[in-house]
Amino acid sequence: MKTVYERGDVVPLLAEIFREFGYEGTSLSRITERTGIGKGSLYHFFPGGKEEMASAVIAEIDGWFEQAIYRPLRNDDARQAIAAMWLNVNDYFRSGGRICLVGALALDETRARFSVAIGDYFIRWIDALRAALVRAGCPEEEARALAEESVAGVQGALVLSRALDDKAVFIRSLQTLAKRLDAAAR
């Protein structure tokens, strides 16, 4: 029995392939091999080819972060939203076992193709976290520095955790960052 896919079903599959092979290493042949979806179907869903596929993946990631991280940080109780951010980040990145595809694309030779979306992802995270810290009582300048440090810390913890093949590194890093923010917001 042949599986019938919708575009929305394909995007998460593409995300994992891009995570594994990077943008340059992801070919249509590799995508069809990994997904079982023919090239004709892929072009039906993504007439713009691989670049449109990557853009759709970035948009889906962005949508998840908007819903689970940025919006709560901007609108909900600040301390609760910050605490939830650490839990959601840990879950999303599978305790350090899943790379940040947006971060990987920022380092890749293809960065220029997606620079607006990449920059926006990180700016919105930093700004939302800064806003929550300010609402929690942290001075503006310190809040901005802590927000940047936290987002950078997540990215660095992902790299180190994967390099050492040790998820505990990621978990410990999130715990340390969470303690710093909690102390600053008191």
Side-chain angles (χ1 to χ4, degrees):
M1 182 170 175
K2 188 173 180 177
T3 304
V4 178
Y5 289 98
E6 299 285 333
R7 179 182 160 115
D9 300 325
V10 177
V11 174
L13 303 173
L14 293 171
E16 295 312 314
I17 297 167
F18 282 120
R19 277 187 181 89
E20 185 175 351
F21 298 104
Y23 182 82
E24 292 300 329
T26 299
S27 64
L28 285 179
S29 297
R30 188 163 268 156
I31 293 169
T32 60
E33 174 189 311
R34 290 294 178 106
T35 64
I37 302 169
K39 288 181 184 180
S41 294
L42 289 170
Y43 276 114
H44 171 73
F45 293 135
F46 306 98
K50 186 166 79 166
E51 191 165 333
E52 185 177 344
M53 292 176 201
S55 292
V57 167
I58 293 169
E60 181 172 278
I61 292 168
D62 186 70
W64 186 90
F65 271 81
E66 176 62 36
Q67 185 70 32
I69 306 290
Y70 311 152
R71 188 173 298 144
L73 286 171
R74 286 191 306 259
N75 301 320
D76 296 352
D77 175 82
R79 285 186 176 83
Q80 289 176 1
I82 293 167
M85 177 190 77
W86 296 120
L87 295 172
N88 287 330
V89 164
N90 187 60
D91 288 348
Y92 182 82
F93 293 117
R94 297 180 184 153
S95 302
R98 179 191 223 190
I99 70 165
C100 176
L101 183 55
V102 177
L105 289 171
L107 301 173
D108 195 88
E109 294 298 317
T110 58
R111 183 197 180 287
R113 283 188 177 127
F114 309 107
S115 63
V116 172
I118 291 167
D120 189 55
Y121 167 87
F122 288 112
I123 288 167
R124 286 175 38 231
W125 192 352
I126 291 165
D127 285 348
L129 181 53
R130 179 206 49 78
L133 287 165
V134 168
R135 285 195 331 276
C138 187
E140 174 71 37
E141 221 172 277
E142 184 182 356
R144 165 129 341 255
L146 285 170
E148 289 173 351
E149 178 185 334
S150 296
V151 173
V154 169
Q155 296 300 309
L158 285 168
V159 171
L160 189 58
S161 178
R162 290 195 42 97
L164 300 176
D165 193 25
D166 184 358
K167 290 181 177 184
V169 170
F170 184 75
I171 294 166
R172 281 193 307 272
S173 294
L174 291 189
Q175 290 169 343
T176 299
L177 289 165
K179 286 177 189 171
R180 283 183 50 80
L181 294 192
D182 191 50
R186 293 195 180 269

